[in-house]
Amino acid sequence: MTASNITQTTRINWPIVSVGGLLGLMLSWNLLGGNEQGQVNVLSLLLIYIVIPTASVAISLASLIFGKGLNLARLAITIPLWPRQYLYFYHKLRLQKLDKHWLFLQSQAAALAFSSTSLLIFFLLLLGTDMNFIWRSTLLTAESLQPILEYVAIPWWFWPEAQPDLALLQATQDSRLQTVTGDVSVFSRWWPFVFATQLFYGLLLRGVLLVIARIWLVRQDRKDIEKQLGNSSEEHAGLRSTPMELAPITDQLPGDIMVTNWAGVDEDLLQHRVEFSFAGNRQLHAGPLASEAAQQEAERWPGEQLVIVKAWEPPMGDLADYMRKSRGYLLPLDWQDRRLCPPQQQHLEEWQRFVNRMPNWQLYQPASLRRTV
């Protein structure tokens, strides 16, 4: 992996960001538009602009630390509409143990998009409409709510107009049983406070986390590169000191082996176009096209498995990482016109050299696909 790969890993995923932006657009338009009288409930805004952002930060941090939980990016990646190249890229991140760092980064970017579109709607409505901010609660009074809002407004203590005082709370408390009288301009005095909450808890907080997440991801990525370079140097040193031996080929398999279709070979080709059949064997799903849950299940499988790959594709690092954690047989397949054929000799020898460096693995070729000399 080179510097360009690091750039790719830390690049913002715009489809995920678009999901966050769209959510911010819809929620803000619905809330800031107000009710039939044009009234906007400040307590509802606090839920969207403070409670949900801070709670999602805590959930995202838990996902990063413990490797579980949910964030916006993790939810978006489960949508079954992603192109194959996205799934392959995410699969590589999982194998490198960078997926949770990457998801945390994308989650912060999506949250920034949410806050940005929310602010856009806020300013458009401020310019084009008369927004009347009120608050309504059965349990809270102006006196009990003021300390909470003062605590929320601590980060912008230097902005007096954005500090909610008791007089403002008393003047804008709404009741369904009373009619508004007096100076109605007081209802617009909430906008600096609402703006400040979005600016701090939405943009500033997430922006700082985005920078931290990117720095963290770059460091983790570089550690992975250094590890790969160290392993590669040791491997090359070993290859210089010993001849490149070819792993033997076997044509025998255990009867109850688990089949892993790593390459995504057509099931019909496997079941009906060859002399041997995998119909009686259970299958695992791993590789670039596998889901996260399926990949984890395959990695946890304790027994032997038969991993099917495309013979003409060179061995990749993600396959090597997977095989180091498991054991079994590797089957390179080649086909033409929907019929399996023996792999080309140079391809087969490359797989033999690859398997020779993999403990607990053998290269399997059925007798019907062995190339005769």
Side-chain angles (χ1 to χ4, degrees):
M1 191 179 297
T2 62
S4 60
N5 296 107
I6 294 179
T7 302
Q8 183 180 10
T9 304
T10 58
R11 186 176 299 162
I12 299 302
N13 186 286
W14 291 110
I16 293 179
V17 171
S18 300
V19 172
L22 185 61
L23 286 175
L25 190 70
M26 294 187 299
L27 282 175
S28 294
W29 182 267
N30 183 56
L31 285 176
L32 294 172
N35 56 20
E36 294 81 0
Q37 291 78 36
Q39 297 174 327
V40 180
N41 193 339
V42 174
L43 297 185
S44 298
L45 297 183
L46 294 181
L47 175 66
I48 299 299
Y49 298 142
I50 298 180
V51 177
I52 292 180
T54 53
S56 63
V57 166
I59 295 173
S60 295
L61 288 173
S63 299
L64 180 63
I65 295 171
F66 301 108
K68 296 181 180 179
L70 292 175
N71 55 36
L72 184 56
R74 189 179 291 274
L75 290 173
I77 204 69
T78 60
I79 299 175
L81 299 176
W82 294 93
R84 178 173 296 186
Q85 60 267 28
Y86 277 100
L87 297 177
Y88 181 71
F89 173 70
Y90 182 62
H91 169 75
K92 290 177 65 177
L93 290 173
R94 290 205 312 264
L95 291 176
Q96 295 170 331
K97 307 300 182 185
L98 295 175
D99 55 319
K100 62 180 182 179
H101 301 88
W102 184 81
L103 287 171
F104 184 76
L105 174 70
Q106 305 305 327
S107 181
Q108 307 319 306
L112 277 173
F114 177 94
S115 298
S116 299
T117 53
S118 297
L119 273 173
L120 176 63
I121 295 299
F122 180 68
F123 277 118
L124 289 177
L125 292 178
L126 275 181
L127 291 173
T129 65
D130 54 338
M131 298 178 66
N132 296 317
F133 296 96
I134 55 93
W135 68 275
R136 181 187 297 133
S137 174
T138 302
L139 300 178
L140 296 174
T141 64
E143 290 76 13
S144 62
L145 183 58
Q146 184 189 12
I148 299 175
L149 298 186
E150 286 180 345
Y151 181 79
V152 168
I154 287 177
W156 53 90
W157 79 95
F158 51 85
W159 190 3
E161 292 79 5
Q163 299 295 320
D165 53 37
L166 183 59
L168 178 61
L169 284 165
Q170 291 173 337
T172 56
Q173 184 174 8
D174 180 66
S175 174
R176 300 178 190 271
L177 301 179
Q178 69 181 19
T179 304
V180 176
T181 57
D183 184 12
V184 296
S185 65
V186 68
F187 295 100
S188 64
R189 286 176 49 199
W190 276 105
W191 80 260
F193 173 78
V194 175
F195 169 70
T197 58
Q198 295 184 71
L199 194 63
F200 180 81
Y201 293 100
L203 290 181
L204 184 59
L205 180 61
R206 292 295 188 157
V208 171
L209 287 176
L210 178 70
V211 173
I212 294 175
R214 191 180 187 282
I215 294 174
W216 195 348
L217 184 59
V218 168
R219 288 182 178 177
Q220 294 294 325
D221 210 356
R222 284 175 177 168
K223 287 180 181 178
D224 182 72
I225 293 174
E226 292 171 0
K227 181 179 178 181
Q228 290 186 31
L229 291 176
N231 293 339
S232 178
S233 299
E234 293 177 2
E235 182 177 315
H236 289 163
L239 292 176
R240 286 194 298 268
S241 60
T242 59
M244 296 181 65
E245 298 180 0
L246 301 179
I249 300 176
T250 181
D251 58 3
Q252 300 294 323
L253 283 178
D256 58 348
I257 195 168
M258 185 73 78
V259 177
T260 303
N261 191 351
W262 180 275
V265 181
D266 193 331
E267 294 291 335
D268 180 69
L269 190 67
L270 295 177
Q271 300 289 356
H272 307 295
R273 302 302 179 100
V274 293
E275 291 79 359
F276 55 96
S277 174
F278 302 110
N281 298 93
R282 290 194 298 155
Q283 292 195 26
L284 294 170
H285 297 279
L289 303 180
S291 66
E292 183 176 2
Q295 180 75 25
Q296 292 176 353
E297 180 185 2
E299 291 175 354
R300 290 193 299 265
W301 176 251
E304 291 187 323
Q305 52 186 292
L306 176 68
V307 176
I308 302 174
V309 296
K310 296 176 182 177
W312 64 87
E313 292 184 349
M316 303 297 290
D318 51 355
L319 176 61
D321 291 338
Y322 178 80
M323 292 174 61
R324 289 189 183 99
K325 304 173 185 177
S326 50
R327 57 192 176 93
Y329 300 80
L330 191 71
L331 171 58
L333 288 181
D334 198 349
W335 61 88
Q336 294 179 2
D337 299 326
R338 304 285 301 170
R339 294 184 63 86
L340 291 180
C341 57
Q344 297 185 24
Q345 188 62 33
Q346 66 269 27
H347 296 159
L348 190 60
E349 290 180 357
E350 185 173 5
W351 285 107
Q352 286 180 273
R353 287 189 288 269
F354 175 72
V355 171
N356 190 59
R357 301 194 297 270
M358 290 291 149
N360 305 320
W361 283 87
Q362 300 181 58
L363 190 69
Y364 169 70
Q365 283 283 287
S368 59
L369 294 181
R370 297 289 294 272
R371 184 178 293 273
T372 58
V373 181

